[in-house]
Each structure stands twice: as C-alpha cells, then as structure tokens.
Amino acid sequence: MKIFDEILQAEKRIKKFIIKTPLLKSDPLSELSGCNVFLKLESEQITGSFKARGAFNKLLSIPKGKNVITASTGNHGLAVGYSAKKLGLNCRVVIPKNISDFKIKKLKEFGIDIEFFGEDCVDAEYFAKRKAEEEGLTYISPYNDIKVIAGQGTIGMELKEQIKNIDSVLVPVGGGGMISGISVFLKSINAKIRIFGCLPENSPVMRESIKKDRIVNMKTEETLSDATAGGIEEGSITFEICKKYVDDFFLVSEEEIENAIFTIFENHNKIIEGAGALPVATLLRFKDRFKDQNVILILSGSNIDWEFFKKRRASA
C-alpha cells in the first residue's frame, strides 16, 4: 500500500486518541521574516510532541495483546509508553545514556519501564530490536516504519484542512519519520508545495546522508535539539523518502536554536523544545528564501527543562 493511502487510514484510526493541534498565525514572525508565518503547534500534542500520532497508529495496527519494546531519546518513548497504557499493553523503552535528566523524569512520571543501553540512539535501537527477537516482543521503530510515518503524516492532512494555500513547510529532522509523512501527503495533493528539513549544525546526519547518497555514520555533538540528535538506522525507509520528497535541508547553530526558543516564548507565551525551535531558527536565518510566501513552521514538541534552560541562558 502506498504511504499516501496509509496516511488516510491512519487519520481514521487515531483521530479519537490524539489532539488536532492548532495552526496559529504569527504576526511577530511574519513581520520579522517578510512572509506569512503559521505555527503548527505539535508542542501541544498529547505527551508534548507529535510522536503520539505514529505511536498510536503503529500500536493500533499490531495484533491485540502483543507487548512492545522501543528505543528513544525521550519523545518517542513517552508516546509509545502512553499509547501502550491506553491500549492495555506492556511497554519497555530502551534509552541511551546521553538522554536528558528531564526526559528520564518524564518517562518515570508516566510509569514507563525503562532500560539504559549505549551512548547513542542508534545503539539503543539495535539493542531494543535484539531484545524484541529474543523475548517475542513487537519492536516499535521511532521512524523506520510505514505505520509510524503514516501517523506523523496526519499532520499534513490537518494542514490541508486548516489553511488553503501553502508555499513552504519547515520541519525538524532527526530520523526523518515526520518529514517523510508530511512531505508525501502534501506533495501528493500539490507538487508545488516545498518541504524543507531543519537540523542542528551539531547533528546534521540526514543532510549529510542525502549529500553523500548513503546513510552516513558520523560523530555528532551535543545539541539543544536532543530530540533530533544522533544517527539513522542503516536501511531506513525515511532516507529514500527524504531523497525523493524533501526539497532542501538547512542547518542552524546552537545560539540560533536558543534564540528561537525564546522568540516563541516572548511573542506567543509558548514553550517549545530545541527540536521544535529548528524551523523558527531556520526561518529567521534564511528569511530571504521565503519572502512573501505562506510558510508553515512545525513546532514539534514542548518537552524541555524550562527552569534549567532559563538558568543556562541567564549565565550565557
């Protein structure tokens, strides 16, 4: 089945479990950038990120009663753990040792069974897949799964209903699940819509992979955009989708990400995490690319340790 059709089915499957998130016109960002800016507030989704969409779609597609395991740097684990509880399934989340204390706290607050393994999300993913085979569990990929991608693609369906004309959509990119789903859906209904991936300079794995025409294994640095940090699983279907459907990729600095987080807070009184700030930082840095356009920024999540972040900024 084509991904577009999977997205249509996903919308019907998950709509009673998730929030149809608002699309907010940002007059301040529109004035700063010279274009018409709209914020898609996935930061207000269940569990604080877009990940609930893919998690519910995948779990509702597996055999009833099948327990699950996944790997995550936080948001995906929260979403799968929450979805599993709602559906009466047991769930274990494997997390790398570099995950933030804040997200560990959030996982524990949800009562999710966690296990530490590896220094990177890819290490955790391979370990979780091995455990799934050994213990007869269903492994839930953060991005390398058509059901997960289709769930994230329902964001595109909502955008189609919320705004008539779209010129460009700026999307955070880690493993590529969200941008894959959004780009397939929107370009299938209007090939003129341009989709752009936004990444931190400290972890540009998908961009480098597309440039080299293969998934690269590269050293990455710590980033405020921890939800998009780390490598991509070898053979991930998101790589080919991004090659085909994503028009370009942009990199932004840590300072730009930090400033973007505060820009949204100061102008809209909304808290977003580092990954959610990537499209904002991209727009402000490359605003000449989007002049006079209708531009959608996907604010992907809100799971940030705000008090720690404010102290970091104050001491900078």
Side-chain angles (χ1 to χ4, degrees), residues 11 14-23 40-46 53 154-163:
E11 190 275 336
I14 70 175
K15 62 183 178 181
K16 68 179 182 180
F17 295 100
I18 63 151
I19 296 169
K20 181 178 179 180
T21 55
L23 184 69
K40 181 59 171 166
L41 300 179
E42 283 300 293
S43 49
E44 298 183 7
Q45 187 56 262
I46 294 167
R53 297 174 182 270
T154 60
I155 297 170
M157 288 191 69
E158 290 181 12
L159 289 174
K160 177 178 176 287
E161 297 170 2
Q162 291 170 320
I163 182 170

Side-chain angles (χ1 to χ4, degrees), residues 3 7-8 10-11 50 53-54 147-159 177-186:
I3 295 176
I7 295 169
L8 297 180
E11 190 275 336
F50 72 96
R53 297 174 182 270
K147 299 292 186 186
V148 172
I149 291 169
Q152 325 303 23
T154 60
I155 297 170
M157 288 191 69
E158 290 181 12
L159 289 174
M178 176 167 56
I179 199 170
S180 291
I182 290 173
S183 62
V184 168
F185 184 83
L186 290 179

Side-chain angles (χ1 to χ4, degrees), residues 46-287:
I46 294 167
T47 72
S49 87
F50 72 96
K51 291 285 192 177
R53 297 174 182 270
F56 268 115
N57 193 47
K58 178 63 178 180
L59 294 185
L60 288 164
S61 304
I62 65 176
K64 289 185 177 180
K66 186 81 169 177
N67 292 323
V68 301
I69 187 170
T70 191
S72 174
T73 54
N75 286 339
H76 176 70
L78 284 169
V80 174
Y82 174 85
S83 304
K85 281 200 165 188
K86 283 290 184 182
L87 300 174
L89 304 173
N90 292 328
C91 172
R92 190 189 325 161
V93 179
V94 180
I95 55 178
K97 296 172 184 176
N98 63 351
I99 188 174
S100 71
D101 291 340
F102 175 76
K103 287 188 176 175
I104 294 172
K105 179 184 175 185
K106 293 272 287 187
L107 287 162
K108 289 181 177 178
E109 285 175 354
F110 275 78
I112 295 169
D113 180 16
I114 61 175
E115 182 174 358
F116 290 93
F117 185 85
E119 303 295 333
D120 180 89
C121 58
V122 172
D123 293 336
E125 287 167 21
Y126 284 127
F127 178 77
K129 288 172 75 173
R130 187 168 74 246
K131 285 291 184 180
E133 293 177 4
E134 293 172 357
E135 300 178 25
L137 305 172
T138 296
Y139 173 69
I140 312 296
S141 172
Y143 52 85
N144 188 20
D145 187 295
I146 191 169
K147 299 292 186 186
V148 172
I149 291 169
Q152 325 303 23
T154 60
I155 297 170
M157 288 191 69
E158 290 181 12
L159 289 174
K160 177 178 176 287
E161 297 170 2
Q162 291 170 320
I163 182 170
K164 185 176 181 181
N165 297 312
I166 302 173
D167 294 307
S168 297
V169 185
L170 276 58
V171 188
V173 177
M178 176 167 56
I179 199 170
S180 291
I182 290 173
S183 62
V184 168
F185 184 83
L186 290 179
K187 282 185 174 285
S188 294
I189 62 171
N190 183 354
K192 293 182 179 180
I193 295 175
R194 292 172 64 78
I195 310 293
F196 297 99
C198 309
L199 303 90
E201 291 176 353
N202 284 3
S203 187
V205 182
M206 182 63 82
R207 181 178 187 256
E208 294 305 305
S209 297
I210 298 296
K211 283 172 62 178
K212 296 182 179 179
D213 200 27
R214 60 180 175 84
I215 295 175
V216 299
N217 182 14
M218 61 182 291
K219 179 176 174 55
T220 59
E221 304 295 332
E222 186 177 344
T223 174
L224 280 168
S225 180
D226 58 331
T228 67
I232 302 169
E233 180 182 349
E234 190 65 38
S236 176
I237 58 176
T238 56
F239 172 70
E240 294 297 335
I241 297 170
C242 286
K243 274 179 60 178
K244 182 175 181 180
Y245 289 97
V246 179
D247 292 281
D248 203 354
F249 296 88
F250 295 102
L251 304 184
V252 290
S253 69
E254 293 302 296
E255 181 181 2
E256 288 167 326
I257 297 169
E258 181 175 316
N259 289 337
I261 293 171
F262 263 90
T263 295
I264 293 299
F265 179 70
E266 290 166 351
N267 288 284
H268 294 288
N269 199 31
K270 294 187 181 297
I271 293 174
I272 58 172
E273 62 187 76
L278 292 172
V280 181
T282 298
L283 176 71
L284 295 177
R285 179 172 179 177
F286 301 98
K287 58 186 177 182

